[in-house]
Amino acid sequence: MLKQKALIDVLGQVNTSGVDGSWLFNKDGLLLAYVGSEQKEVASNVSAALLASVWTALERRACDLRESILVLEDSTIAFTLVARTMLLAVKAHKNADLGMVRAKLHSLSTYLEQPILSISHDLI
Amino acid sequence: MDSDLDDDGDDLRYGIDEEYDYPDSRPTVILMGHKRSGKTSIRKVVFQKMSPNETMFVESTARITRDTICSSFINFETIEFPGQMCPFDDSLDPIGIFQKCEALLFIIDAQAELQEPIATLVEYFCRAYKINPNIKFEVFVHKADGLTEEARVETKFNIYHQVKETIKDQIEVDLQVTYHLTSIYDHSIFEAFSKVVQNLVKQLPTLERLLDVFNQSSKVTKSFLFDILSKIYIATDSEPVEMNIYELCCDMIDVTLDLSSIYGVGENGANYDENSQAIIRLKSEQVMYLRQVNKHLALVFIMKEDGNEKVGFIDHNFGVFKQGIEQVFRVKNRGLHF
Amino acid sequence: MSSKRKVLLMGKSGSGKTSMRSIIFANYIARDCSRLGPTIEVEHAHVRFLGNMVLHLWDCGGQESFMENFLMSQKDQIFKNVQVLIYVFDVESREFEKDLRYYQSCLEALLQNSPNAQVFCLIHKMDLIEEDKRDETFKKREADVLRYSELAATPLGERSNAVCQCFKSSIWDETLYKAWSAIVYHLVPNVNTMEDKLAKFGNVLEATEVILFERATFLVIAHAVLSPHKDPHRFEKVSNIIKQFKLSCLKMGSKLDSIQVRNSRFTAFIDTFTQNTYVMIVVPDGKVSAPMITMNVKNARKVFEAIETKQ
């Protein structure tokens, strides 16, 4: 079982020093949780759908895709696979230290791997 | 279950209503007919969510009554006239009433005697026409459920002919009158009302175009813009309307509002707000969506579920559509102030 | 344990027995019921309920000649091995006294032959009474029925088993679902285990309530209420709302899979659950993530399927 409040707590922990948003969603772009500065629920939904599309497109080109970083005009988004079926993304200000952003992404994904694996495993 | 939407005095305001909701800008419809022709029942079923079997208890209206429904997108007024009173009596301000009126509905009980109502209909239509030639004239051949398919067509045809001839004799104008077969026991009454109202919505072509664009971008098969209170659709895309899809969409509105009135009623008694939405999945791999557009309107659409369409994108497209709708109505309302 | 339950459906001719049976178990809509003819002698219907439980409904025609037979020559055959008697009264009946006497005779026969049977009385066709008089009329009728129940039970010294529950009902609104939910609630085994699990499940989801519906009938078979709600009739209302929609889907040649409704104050999820049930989860948060709930529902499914097969 996955608790929404607990998940939001965990995701929120990385939102410091330049990081201002974190998402957990599946490969279909369905959002499980978002914490961050985008106020509108719709916007975080749309971002999740877009990121999932980008991931699927990249995956078609590169086998065994692990992680991807998008550098945008004013921000950077790093995202990675968690528990084989989910995607975790963090968004940071463009001046934020990229090493730090990736470190946060990885420690978050390691933390979530086991719990999510256990529930998504049950599904198959 | 009564919907709490009747309460229009709340402070919940959002969307296009905020500054632009003027009752004058909404279509005005007047309902008339003989005693026991079913006027009150129609009003209760369409605008007050009464279930059709309960209309047995509706008492006949004894005096002239005027009723205005303002919690709907449609500005709907019923004026009931008992037999001996004439709506064109000077004391009732007929000129004021019919100048505002955009559509005049006359209800005829298809199961009762027809001659007298037809005479009244012709008289009222002619007099209303003299006051305001722009009125759309509509006839509901009502209680059609009690007739056989053949009898329905025949009754409608008879009325059509008599009315056409007599009106020609009286005012020498070939008045455009539209006829609808209706019953409160199925969706025909809602369908007929929808047609009447669409006739009055001046932005209809723009709305249709907007819906078409929305459908194409989101792979939607059919979409309706509904007046949520009455389940009348004020616009749909250019694809033909399949009756059973329309009925299912109506039923979806019922499910949404009924569940919301059990679990989601706020302090102000409203069950429909800016976050109102519903998704219904069918095993035939179809998905239906309902989204709030503004205080009175909802978009209901149906699409094939093939796994390629991401909810996030639909959300985005809907956001764009909603903005479009706001602009359409804003232009109209501004126009009124010049 | 035998999973076949014998349910007697009795009451005077035209009281509405077959209509309500057709709505609950055979997907009729109220308006179609006017087409049903009177029941001759006994119509047997086997309805599968919760998958492996079979309700054997004996729909007993209510004309007097049949009634006499049931009480005389066919007495043993009719009243033996009965789990439930549902007796239907027409609220507008002109000979209510006479109906009551028939009821008393049936109840006596039942108590002799199946002393452990449960008895439910439905005061039916309440829609014919004007709304503000319904409660009063029902109370009066209920008092009569209870009085006659005691008359039947007292000579046998078996009063405790004849304590009957009365419900008002109408095929036109949710009261029908309330009455029938109460009836089947007595027939479903493991209700307590299920409700415990439902409550735990609801806690994880931070839900205000979790309700389990039987798949075919949409009758409520178990529920967990985690925070109080002011409307005591909401379960049967939901049954009625969803059943109507299910029928609309059928009309289109499709079937209902899931429903999600939300506004700023709540989200309600209705989803196919185990083989024999639908589940409804109500969360007091208009923004809760739907995929998250769906995932958790899929997870819980196994647990509840295990409870069901244990039956």
Side-chain angles (χ1 to χ4, degrees), chain B residues 53 57 185 247-248 251 255 258 262-264 266 271 273 275-284, chain C residues 31 127 172 209 229 241 248-249 251-252 254-255 257-266 272 280:
Chain B
N53 68 296
F57 293 124
Y185 290 99
E247 285 175 19
L248 203 61
D251 294 337
V255 170
D258 289 348
I262 298 175
Y263 292 107
N271 61 359
D273 64 32
N275 284 322
S276 279
Q277 55 163 290
I279 303 174
I280 296 183
R281 288 203 154 68
L282 304 177
K283 292 206 166 121
S284 47
Chain C
R31 199 148 40 87
D127 52 287
W172 295 100
E209 58 194 27
H229 190 288
I241 295 166
S248 311
C249 292
K251 234 168 63 187
M252 238 188 78
S254 188
K255 276 183 179 163
D257 185 41
S258 69
I259 297 182
Q260 193 195 117
V261 173
R262 46 176 104 207
N263 69 16
S264 299
R265 293 173 198 87
F266 84 110
T272 32
M280 174 163 100

Side-chain angles (χ1 to χ4, degrees), chain C residues 53-288:
Chain C
M53 189 200 293
V54 176
L55 300 185
H56 185 181
L57 288 175
W58 292 47
D59 185 351
C60 305
Q63 284 164 39
E64 283 181 24
S65 55
F66 303 144
M67 287 293 252
E68 299 294 340
N69 279 341
F70 300 152
L71 289 166
M72 304 299 290
S73 55
Q74 302 170 349
K75 193 169 174 178
D76 287 358
Q77 192 199 344
I78 299 271
F79 291 101
K80 271 264 186 298
N81 299 319
V82 176
Q83 260 84 30
V84 174
L85 166 67
I86 299 167
Y87 206 95
V88 185
F89 292 93
D90 178 349
V91 68
E92 285 235 294
S93 169
R94 287 201 203 99
E95 336 172 89
F96 203 72
E97 284 291 315
K98 196 168 160 197
D99 302 344
L100 285 167
R101 281 198 296 279
Y102 267 117
Y103 164 68
Q104 187 188 347
S105 312
C106 288
L107 190 56
E108 277 166 6
L110 179 78
L111 292 174
Q112 281 162 16
N113 289 285
S114 308
N116 293 317
Q118 302 254 8
V119 182
F120 299 91
C121 292
L122 306 186
I123 312 295
H124 197 49
K125 302 195 182 174
M126 288 303 286
D127 52 287
L128 297 177
I129 307 290
E130 276 187 60
E131 205 162 349
D132 48 348
K133 295 192 182 112
R134 283 183 195 165
D135 274 335
E136 187 194 326
T137 316
F138 172 67
K139 286 220 174 79
K140 232 167 67 194
R141 295 280 191 257
E142 184 186 35
D144 284 341
V145 169
L146 290 175
R147 191 157 47 85
Y148 274 82
S149 307
E150 280 193 26
L151 283 179
T154 314
L156 295 160
E158 286 277 357
R159 286 179 57 167
S160 59
N161 284 323
V163 171
C164 104
Q165 270 181 287
C166 273
F167 295 95
K168 53 184 159 197
S169 60
S170 155
I171 56 170
W172 295 100
D173 60 31
E174 69 273 2
T175 52
L176 187 66
Y177 290 89
K178 182 180 179 65
W180 280 84
S181 277
I183 293 167
V184 298
Y185 201 79
H186 289 269
L187 294 169
V188 179
N190 296 345
V191 169
N192 292 335
T193 331
M194 262 196 280
E195 294 195 332
D196 277 356
K197 294 275 185 216
L198 281 183
K200 281 188 189 136
F201 183 42
N203 262 323
V204 173
L205 299 173
E206 288 148 39
T208 50
E209 58 194 27
V210 185
I211 307 170
L212 220 50
F213 299 95
E214 202 274 332
R215 194 175 258 209
T217 57
F218 243 91
L219 294 171
V220 176
I221 49 170
H223 53 81
V225 178
L226 295 114
S227 79
H229 190 288
K230 59 180 189 307
D231 182 0
H233 302 299
R234 64 192 182 283
F235 298 148
E236 51 270 21
K237 283 182 186 162
V238 174
S239 288
N240 195 15
I241 295 166
I242 308 300
K243 182 81 185 268
Q244 295 307 326
F245 191 78
K246 246 185 87 178
L247 295 179
S248 311
C249 292
L250 276 180
K251 234 168 63 187
M252 238 188 78
S254 188
K255 276 183 179 163
L256 177 64
D257 185 41
S258 69
I259 297 182
Q260 193 195 117
V261 173
R262 46 176 104 207
N263 69 16
S264 299
R265 293 173 198 87
F266 84 110
T267 309
F269 296 90
I270 296 163
D271 206 347
T272 32
F273 199 42
T274 65
Q275 263 194 336
N276 307 310
T277 56
Y278 275 89
V279 71
M280 174 163 100
I281 296 149
V282 183
V283 185
D285 170 5
K287 294 205 162 128
V288 67

Side-chain angles (χ1 to χ4, degrees), chain B residues 2-27:
Chain B
D2 256 339
S3 135
D4 290 304
L5 284 168
D6 310 43
D7 179 20
D8 214 26
D10 57 33
D11 288 315
L12 194 80
R13 317 189 82 190
Y14 44 79
I16 64 166
D17 305 303
E18 209 143 357
E19 307 158 53
Y20 304 100
D21 186 23
Y22 300 105
D24 287 353
S25 67
R26 305 195 308 227

Side-chain angles (χ1 to χ4, degrees), chain A residues 25-50:
Chain A
F25 50 98
N26 65 14
K27 279 189 177 175
D28 292 329
L30 291 172
L31 188 65
L32 274 90
Y34 168 76
V35 183
S37 54
E38 280 183 48
Q39 283 307 308
K40 278 194 171 166
E41 183 206 6
V42 171
S44 57
N45 251 352
V46 177
S47 324
L50 283 171

